[in-house]
């Protein structure tokens, strides 16, 4: 069934006259209901949405909606669709990153006011940083906050060995971006955004990069386009000026490490943990590695029939995770 956030987003989009978003959220509710076993309700809701769209007048008919849960035709395999519930408040981020994401979110929420005064809200973002620092989760959080689906581009389906095919698929993706408002994530973006002058580059990759730059520059949709990479040094320099914001993710500071652990272990008794000592040992690990260490420590404690987490539990889990890095 619909969550409180989805209901609020439905009402807000209806009040703002944003029919595209209204229908997208309604389809999200239907998809979630189907996943929870409420198949009859999900089918009835989809039919209701279809009928409303069919009978809507031309002045309020939204842009063509692609069935996000199951892309059809030439879009099959190009997207992985999800409907995140993540919020920015769920994340432990460095202050600069958190500020940048909140600014993007605020501009999106007030986009009509900005557009009325001739300003475009930020929506083309380049996310840079080591693996496990929250880039992909940030895409989910923006989608969750805005009540939009998250569509992750499947690079293994996008990149083809045949001349011209990858650029043709890119055009399909940008057509979808223009037609359906959502958060679109190009993860591991360096696979297509690499430097065009690289000595081991191929002519096809150069053409793909040129096509992407052209599509990105011409895009005037309402969708959010996020490109994330662990290897910013590999990116073509011409890319950077095409984005509205470049957000750099770093390995967590000691303060953020403590925040991550306290949040992840919120259901356990951590009153005896020496956080400063644990934070020192966690230095150099990513957000994801710290979360996995917390999970390992919590599971070991529960299997030992206790809810109390000891400093030794966390230091052992962190040491194991660091060893796995080597």
């Amino acid at each position: 069934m619909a969550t409180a956030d989805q209901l609020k987003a439905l009402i807000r989009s209806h009040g703002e006259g944003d029919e595209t978003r209204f229908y997208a959220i309604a389809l999200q509710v239907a998809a979630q209901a189907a996943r929870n076993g409420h198949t009859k309700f999900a089918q009835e809701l989809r039919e209701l949405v279809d009928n409303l769209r069919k009978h809507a007048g031309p002045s309020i008919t939204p842009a063509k909606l692609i069935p996000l849960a199951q892309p059809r035709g030439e879009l099959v395999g190009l997207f992985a669709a999800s409907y995140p519930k993540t919020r920015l408040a769920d994340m432990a981020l460095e202050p600069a990153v958190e500020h940048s994401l909140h600014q993007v979110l605020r501009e999106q929420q007030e986009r009509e006011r900005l557009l009325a005064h001739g300003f475009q809200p930020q929506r083309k973002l380049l996310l840079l940083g080591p693996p496990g620092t929250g880039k992909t989760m940030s895409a989910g959080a923006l989608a969750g906050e805005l009540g939009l689906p998250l569509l992750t581009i499947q690079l293994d389906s996008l990149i083809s060995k045949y001349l011209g095919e990858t650029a043709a698929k890119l055009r399909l993706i940008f057509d979808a971006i223009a037609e359906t408002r959502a958060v679109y994530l190009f993860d591991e973006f360096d696979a297509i955004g690499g430097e065009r002058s690289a000595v081991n580059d191929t002519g096809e990759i150069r053409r793909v990069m040129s096509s992407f730059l052209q599509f990105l520059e011409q895009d005037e949709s309402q969708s959010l386009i996020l490109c994330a990479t662990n290897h910013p040094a590999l990116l073509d320099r011409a890319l950077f000026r095409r984005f509205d914001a470049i957000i750099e993710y770093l390995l967590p500071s000691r303060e953020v490490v403590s925040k991550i652990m306290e949040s992840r272990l919120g259901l356990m008794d951590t009153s005896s943990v020496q956080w400063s000592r644990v934070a020192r040992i966690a230095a150099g690990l990513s957000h994801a590695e710290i979360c996995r260490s917390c999970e390992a420590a919590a599971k070991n404690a529960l299997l030992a029939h206790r809810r109390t987490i000891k400093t030794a539990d966390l230091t052992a889990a962190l040491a194991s995770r660091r060893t796995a890095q080597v």
Side-chain angles (χ1 to χ4, degrees):
M1 296 299 177
T3 65
D5 286 336
Q6 286 172 329
L7 288 174
K8 287 189 289 186
L10 273 172
I11 295 170
R12 189 181 300 115
S13 60
H14 175 71
E16 294 173 353
D18 190 342
E19 297 296 327
T20 300
R21 186 181 177 199
F22 180 84
Y23 290 128
I25 297 169
L27 290 175
Q28 289 179 40
V29 173
Q32 183 175 320
R35 290 195 295 270
N36 292 337
H38 304 293
T39 53
K40 183 179 179 181
F41 170 73
Q43 182 61 33
E44 290 175 348
L45 185 55
R46 289 193 186 102
E47 291 174 358
L48 180 61
V49 170
D50 288 341
N51 289 333
L52 286 172
R53 288 165 52 196
K54 189 181 299 182
H55 294 96
S59 62
I60 61 172
T61 300
K64 179 183 176 184
L65 290 179
I66 299 169
L68 299 176
Q70 294 181 337
R72 298 173 184 172
E74 294 176 297
L75 294 174
V76 171
L78 287 179
F79 295 125
S82 61
Y83 306 89
K85 297 180 181 179
T86 309
R87 297 292 184 270
L88 290 178
D90 300 329
M91 302 181 67
L93 297 167
E94 296 295 334
V97 173
E98 186 173 7
H99 173 78
S100 296
L101 293 176
H102 275 292
Q103 182 65 27
V104 171
L105 181 60
R106 184 179 180 188
E107 290 187 18
Q108 283 294 316
Q109 292 170 333
E110 299 288 341
R111 70 184 190 283
E112 296 299 335
R113 179 180 299 179
L114 295 177
L115 291 170
H117 289 80
F119 296 102
Q120 290 285 339
Q122 296 181 70
R123 59 180 192 82
K124 300 176 184 179
L125 311 178
L126 180 59
L127 312 183
L128 312 174
T133 49
K135 299 185 297 297
T136 303
M137 191 176 181
S138 295
L142 289 174
E145 293 277 8
L146 294 169
L148 295 174
L150 172 64
L151 276 75
T152 303
I153 287 74
Q154 303 293 287
L155 292 183
D156 56 341
S157 298
L158 171 63
I159 298 175
S160 170
K161 64 181 178 181
Y162 298 108
L163 185 65
E165 188 171 305
T166 301
K169 289 181 179 180
L170 265 179
R171 179 177 292 278
L172 286 175
I173 289 172
F174 275 90
D175 286 345
I177 290 172
E179 292 172 350
T180 302
R181 186 171 183 241
V183 176
Y184 292 83
L185 174 63
F186 290 82
D187 209 353
E188 300 181 4
F189 180 60
D190 47 279
I192 62 172
E195 175 63 55
R196 284 174 290 181
S197 62
V199 294
N200 59 346
D201 194 8
T202 66
E204 174 66 356
I205 290 298
R206 285 195 294 274
R207 282 187 287 271
V208 169
M209 185 66 255
S210 297
S211 296
F212 183 88
L213 288 172
Q214 180 181 1
F215 292 144
L216 186 66
E217 194 163 79
Q218 293 175 349
D219 176 72
E220 296 181 353
S221 69
Q222 296 184 28
S223 296
L224 276 75
I225 303 173
L226 277 62
C227 298
T229 179
N230 304 331
H231 307 288
L234 299 180
L235 295 182
D236 193 296
R237 294 296 97 185
L239 272 169
F240 289 83
R241 66 177 182 270
R242 262 71 172 200
F243 289 92
D244 300 323
I246 299 172
I247 304 177
E248 186 173 1
Y249 291 71
L250 304 173
L251 293 174
S253 63
R254 289 185 182 180
E255 291 75 13
V256 173
V257 168
S258 297
K259 189 186 300 183
I260 294 170
M261 290 187 164
E262 290 175 14
S263 173
R264 195 68 191 89
L265 297 171
L267 297 178
M268 306 293 288
D269 178 6
T270 58
S271 57
S272 65
V273 174
Q274 298 175 6
W275 292 113
S276 58
R277 179 184 171 193
V278 171
R280 286 197 302 272
I281 296 173
L285 294 178
S286 69
H287 296 68
E289 290 165 331
I290 293 167
C291 285
R292 293 190 185 103
S293 298
C294 289
E295 291 170 4
K299 288 189 287 187
N300 287 336
L302 290 171
L303 291 174
H305 302 285
R306 55 183 171 87
R307 288 187 60 256
T308 301
I309 296 289
K310 302 175 182 178
T311 302
D313 296 326
L314 286 171
T315 55
L318 290 166
S320 176
R321 179 59 54 180
R322 193 178 297 283
T323 301
Q325 280 187 323
V326 179

